Amino acid sequence: MAEKVLMKGNEALAEAAICAGCHHFFGYPITPQTELAAYMAKKMPKIGGTYLQAESELASINMVLGAAAAGVRTMTSTSSPGLSLMTEGISYIAGCDLPCLIVNVQRGGPGLGGIQPSQADYYQATKATGHGDFQLIVLAPSTVQEMVDMVFLAFELGEKYRMPAMLFSDGLLGQMMEPVELPEPGTVKVSDKPWAVTGHNNERTHNIVNSLYLEPDLLEKTVRARYERYAQCQATEQRCEELMVDDADIVLVAYGASSRVCRSAVVEARAQGIKVGMIRPITVWPFPVDAIKKAAGHAKAFLTVEMSMGQMVDDVRLALDGARPTYFYGRTGGMIPSPAEVLEEIKKIQEGI
Amino acid sequence: MRSDLNLMLAGFGGQGLLFAGKVTAYAGLMEGREISWLPSYGPEMRGGTANCSVCVSDNPIGSPLILNPNALIAMNLPSFDKFIDTVVPGGTVLVDSTMVEKTTERTDINVFYVPATKMADDNGIKGLANIILLGKLFKEMQFCSFEALMKGLEKCVPASKAAMLESNKKALQLGMDF
């Protein structure tokens, strides 16, 4: 077992991506993901990789498209306003069925917003990252170790389903340091990419990477085929952590940084004799619908906690389909809820059930 | 079970608060404990107030943002004013009295006024007031073993600045002897 080291989430993620065989990084600087790009800038030249600071986020994401089309593991990282600029390119990448890694270290919005941690890009990540019918695989780490582990998962799932994958982080996880164990080099699973546009000395027919289909019936057929893969992904890749859910009357649903706050609140509530648990989505797309439905079998109420005005709570409501009352508590604009605030909400719900 | 350390370090950017926090975190890591280190970030880091939350615990750490520390190191007046009332009763507070002339009226906390910046200057280790205060905190709270603290320090001083290790050790000792 490798020795644990202290690393910032952003740096650990960058190192993990290199370990995962991603040697092509394109980006444009923005707080609070800066350390990630800085780490890449320092490391990539030493290993013969590419670190390219493009002229804009638009350029970065299209460079990612090009590298992904050539079949290499590639990524970009940004924070909320930068992600908005990338959405056109992300739609093109999805339309080309290309795998890649997109990191969003979220900050407060809308507009330039602020630079403190936020989770207000949930709708953007899971519902409408760009124009057209498409989805991303969206993974939500809650620790620095998960920032590392999920990089590997993101590349693997992205290649398996030929989808872009997003690591959905935030300023708190990006900036904090925790002990982390980095993977041993050489343990990478990279899948074959027979579709990649690479040189082949006329030994096979040309591969074409494209998202333009002028015949609507052909485009519909392509989109439908893509949605069959999405359905398979939804059926097999839902991931979440369950914390004391089995006997819980109230189930909290929270991901990423806010799940850490909720963890503290759950422990405190239990110490006070309140039966509370937490479902922490690890994949926010595909959303862990099955775990929510299962918990609804015995739980009396659900409380979704987010660093937003309430976005994931819609997915919780959809999963519950009216079976149980669903409450919401959130802070936004870069404010982080305190465990005491969440405990207060839990107690209010406890009185009503 | 050992008690948790919830340490808030606050002062001006450049006083080495993040570094002192990292030494504390590494000391905890050396003992196999759960730790988190969370800095303030953004424009305030450039000359304004900087702070850093360090949690050391035997249990997984939920929120890494400390709202009510049981240990506070305050290295300037705005930080002293901002955080002194957030310390839990019974908590330990280290104030750099070279930088902060004020004292607190609270009697339910243990406050130590250490002229750390002056001590560092007088002993030829300018800039190591942060580590002097950490030494004093260690003496008062014993939040880890001395060996772990030394190992933590060694982990944080980069090999390229090995010469700094001795002056850091000297600073720790000055704090512990105060």
Side-chain angles (χ1 to χ4, degrees):
Chain A
M1 205 168 87
E3 190 192 1
K4 281 193 175 179
V5 290
L6 263 187
M7 276 178 111
K8 277 192 171 195
N10 284 336
E11 292 172 341
L13 196 163
E15 179 59 32
I18 293 171
C19 292
C22 174
H23 293 175
H24 304 278
F25 178 98
F26 308 92
Y28 187 80
I30 186 167
T31 304
Q33 68 79 54
T34 313
E35 296 81 5
L36 207 168
Y39 194 93
M40 290 296 193
K42 214 184 278 177
K43 268 288 180 80
M44 284 298 194
K46 291 182 186 158
I47 58 161
T50 311
Y51 167 83
L52 201 154
Q53 181 177 318
E55 71 271 30
S56 71
E57 284 86 351
L58 279 74
S60 320
I61 195 69
N62 283 292
M63 290 172 184
V64 168
L65 190 158
V72 297
R73 283 194 166 176
T74 180
M75 71 179 287
T76 186
S77 69
T78 187
S79 178
S80 308
L83 200 285
S84 292
L85 286 167
M86 290 184 180
T87 53
E88 182 201 41
I90 295 171
S91 174
Y92 278 57
I93 291 170
C96 294
D97 298 309
L98 295 173
C100 67
L101 175 64
I102 299 152
V103 179
N104 183 0
V105 184
Q106 294 172 86
R107 58 188 250 184
L112 266 181
I115 57 169
Q116 297 303 319
S118 167
Q119 298 181 320
D121 300 350
Y122 182 91
Y123 282 152
Q124 185 188 51
T126 61
K127 314 283 179 220
T129 319
H131 61 281
D133 291 312
F134 77 93
Q135 293 291 344
L136 310 179
I137 290 164
V138 187
L139 305 175
S142 71
T143 62
V144 175
Q145 186 65 54
E146 281 188 335
M147 301 271 273
V148 167
D149 300 342
M150 285 184 187
V151 167
F152 288 78
L153 184 62
F155 278 119
E156 281 165 27
L157 292 180
E159 285 166 8
K160 183 174 173 189
Y161 294 97
R162 287 189 65 182
M163 292 170 69
M166 179 184 283
L167 239 142
F168 200 42
S169 175
D170 62 66
L172 186 135
L173 294 166
Q175 294 294 326
M176 73 184 288
M177 283 203 283
E178 278 186 314
V180 62
E181 196 182 321
L182 291 162
E184 302 286 345
T187 50
V188 186
K189 268 192 279 174
V190 184
S191 26
D192 290 339
K193 295 177 176 125
W195 46 262
V197 283
T198 52
H200 55 86
N201 294 320
N202 288 322
E203 283 169 9
R204 59 164 165 79
T205 51
H206 289 303
N207 284 336
I208 296 171
V209 168
N210 172 45
S211 69
L212 178 66
Y213 298 84
L214 290 174
E215 302 298 330
D217 56 340
L218 186 57
L219 179 53
E220 185 191 47
K221 205 176 134 208
T222 309
V223 173
R224 282 191 187 280
R226 197 171 289 136
Y227 267 70
E228 280 170 25
R229 292 207 308 279
Y230 293 170
Q232 196 197 341
C233 184
Q234 283 174 302
T236 51
E237 308 295 351
Q238 292 178 28
R239 285 170 170 79
C240 68
E241 180 198 350
E242 296 187 16
L243 175 72
M244 295 187 265
V245 171
D246 287 348
D247 66 338
D249 291 332
I250 302 168
V251 173
L252 272 56
V253 186
Y255 69 96
S258 54
S259 75
R260 300 185 63 115
V261 176
C262 288
R263 187 180 299 276
S264 300
V266 167
V267 169
E268 182 55 32
R270 284 274 173 176
Q272 297 184 20
I274 307 171
K275 285 187 174 174
V276 186
M278 173 169 72
I279 293 176
R280 175 175 73 86
I282 291 170
T283 51
V284 290
W285 199 95
F287 193 70
V289 176
D290 298 345
I292 305 269
K293 282 186 177 160
K294 186 168 141 257
H298 66 271
K300 293 173 185 155
F302 286 74
L303 169 64
T304 305
V305 179
E306 299 175 58
M307 278 141 57
S308 79
M309 291 303 287
Q311 301 187 12
M312 182 178 72
V313 64
D314 284 355
D315 280 334
V316 177
R317 287 193 186 111
L318 282 170
L320 288 170
D321 200 16
R324 292 287 179 272
T326 314
Y327 300 89
F328 172 75
Y329 182 72
R331 297 292 301 268
T332 198
M335 295 302 292
I336 299 167
S338 72
E341 287 165 25
V342 177
L343 185 60
E344 197 59 32
E345 293 302 309
I346 292 170
K347 285 180 176 170
K348 272 192 231 163
I349 296 168
Q350 172 79 358
E351 283 166 21
I353 57 172
Chain B
M1 184 179 282
R2 294 167 290 187
S3 53
D4 290 356
L5 174 71
N6 291 321
L7 170 64
M8 170 67 75
L9 306 104
F12 290 120
Q15 283 181 312
L17 293 150
L18 303 193
F19 180 84
K22 196 174 167 185
V23 172
T24 311
Y26 252 117
L29 178 59
M30 292 300 119
E31 295 192 329
R33 304 184 73 186
E34 304 281 345
I35 51 174
S36 68
W37 175 98
L38 178 72
S40 59
Y41 62 90
E44 73 271 23
M45 298 292 290
R46 278 91 192 162
T49 57
N51 69 68
C52 170
S53 295
V54 179
C55 303
V56 181
S57 177
D58 286 322
N59 298 307
I61 291 158
S63 177
L65 181 68
I66 298 173
L67 301 170
N68 297 110
N70 61 8
L72 168 68
I73 292 180
M75 292 189 68
N76 68 6
L77 185 60
S79 301
F80 176 84
D81 286 340
K82 186 173 176 188
F83 294 110
I84 191 72
D85 290 331
T86 66
V87 178
V88 295
T92 302
V93 177
L94 279 295
V95 181
D96 185 337
S97 56
T98 315
M99 307 299 291
V100 183
E101 289 179 1
K102 231 169 154 177
T103 55
T104 181
E105 286 170 9
R106 283 186 69 174
T107 52
D108 60 340
I109 49 178
N110 307 309
V111 190
F112 300 90
Y113 300 92
V114 183
T117 296
K118 185 172 185 304
M119 285 165 71
D121 291 352
D122 292 349
N123 286 278
I125 47 169
K126 198 172 162 62
L128 285 176
N130 56 339
I131 302 300
I132 293 177
L133 291 166
L134 187 62
K136 178 66 176 167
L137 184 75
F138 170 76
K139 183 188 166 192
E140 297 304 326
M141 291 189 74
Q142 302 283 331
F143 51 83
C144 64
S145 70
F146 183 70
E147 293 71 34
L149 185 61
M150 288 315 253
K151 274 198 223 164
L153 193 58
E154 284 161 17
K155 284 275 180 191
C156 293
V157 176
S160 58
K161 290 183 184 169
M164 288 300 290
L165 189 58
E166 283 315 307
S167 35
N168 273 277
K169 284 181 179 170
K170 186 176 168 186
L172 261 190
Q173 198 60 49
L174 277 171
M176 287 164 62
D177 293 344
F178 182 80

